[in-house]
Structures are given as structure tokens and as C-alpha cells.
Amino acid sequence: MHLIKDENGNPVQHGHDHAHSHGEGCGNHSHEHCGSCQGGDCKNETVALLTYMLQHNEHHAKELDQMAENLEKMELSAAARTIKEAVADFQKGNMRLGLALTLVKEELK
């Protein structure tokens, strides 16, 4: 287990022995095995990365939902409604990421 950094530079635990960091590179998530996996385990790395990204996105969806609730309390209903619509879109994307994760895991069996 090692640490990677989220988009804010905060350390996040990751289950592999090579470094990852958000930033420039493959899919805005550069790491030393990007595109080649030389000496690495691409499938397990992909499972770990997809799992992390899905959990990370779910966390952001919760934060945005809370922000919408706060905006409603401030009587900024149009902004709150727009954020809630964005959260619904986020959740659709997360559903697709979850499906992709399941498909990758099935291939590992």
C-alpha cells in the first residue's frame, strides 16, 4: 500500500507499489506504468484505480448534494436545483464506472 495524491494534493492510500499522482499525463492521472504496464500488473492496477475514482466521485457527489441543501437554505433555489441536476449526472457517470469496474473484475476471474 502506498499513497497517491488527489486533485487537491492530499495523500490517499492506494494498494500498489508504484507511484500515482493527479496531473498531466495519461487521462489526467499520470503514473509510471501509463499505457505500458512494463513490470506491472495492469488489470489489478486498473481495478484499484477505478475503485479509487468511483469512491472519490461518490464522495464529491455527496459534497455537492450538501452544497445544494445549503443553497436551498440560503433561498438560492435555482442554483440548488442546478447542482442537484449535476449530482444526478454524476451518479449516472458513477453507475457507468461501477459497471466498468465489474467488467474488469469479471475478466480477472
Side-chain angles (χ1 to χ4, degrees), residues 48-98:
L49 184 56
L50 277 172
T51 300
Y52 163 75
M53 294 179 98
L54 179 58
Q55 291 171 347
H56 188 78
N57 284 354
E58 288 170 345
H59 177 75
H60 280 302
K62 289 178 187 174
E63 289 177 322
L64 287 166
D65 199 43
Q66 181 62 52
M67 183 183 295
E69 289 179 27
N70 291 341
L71 288 170
E72 284 177 348
K73 291 175 186 174
M74 296 167 56
E75 298 182 8
L76 298 170
S77 58
R81 182 176 55 254
T82 302
I83 290 174
K84 286 186 179 279
E85 291 168 355
V87 169
D89 292 340
F90 235 81
Q91 290 169 336
K92 288 177 190 173
N94 288 342
M95 181 185 67
R96 291 178 193 258
L97 283 176

Side-chain angles (χ1 to χ4, degrees), residues 2 4 14 18-37 41-42 45-46 49:
H2 67 281
I4 61 174
H14 193 325
H18 51 272
H20 288 86
S21 64
H22 280 276
E24 301 206 13
C26 233
N28 290 328
H29 190 90
S30 63
H31 50 94
E32 64 187 64
H33 297 298
C34 192
S36 66
C37 291
D41 185 347
C42 290
E45 179 178 327
T46 299
L49 184 56

Side-chain angles (χ1 to χ4, degrees), residues 3-15:
L3 297 178
I4 61 174
K5 292 184 181 181
D6 67 15
E7 70 279 359
N8 297 316
N10 300 314
V12 178
Q13 286 189 344
H14 193 325

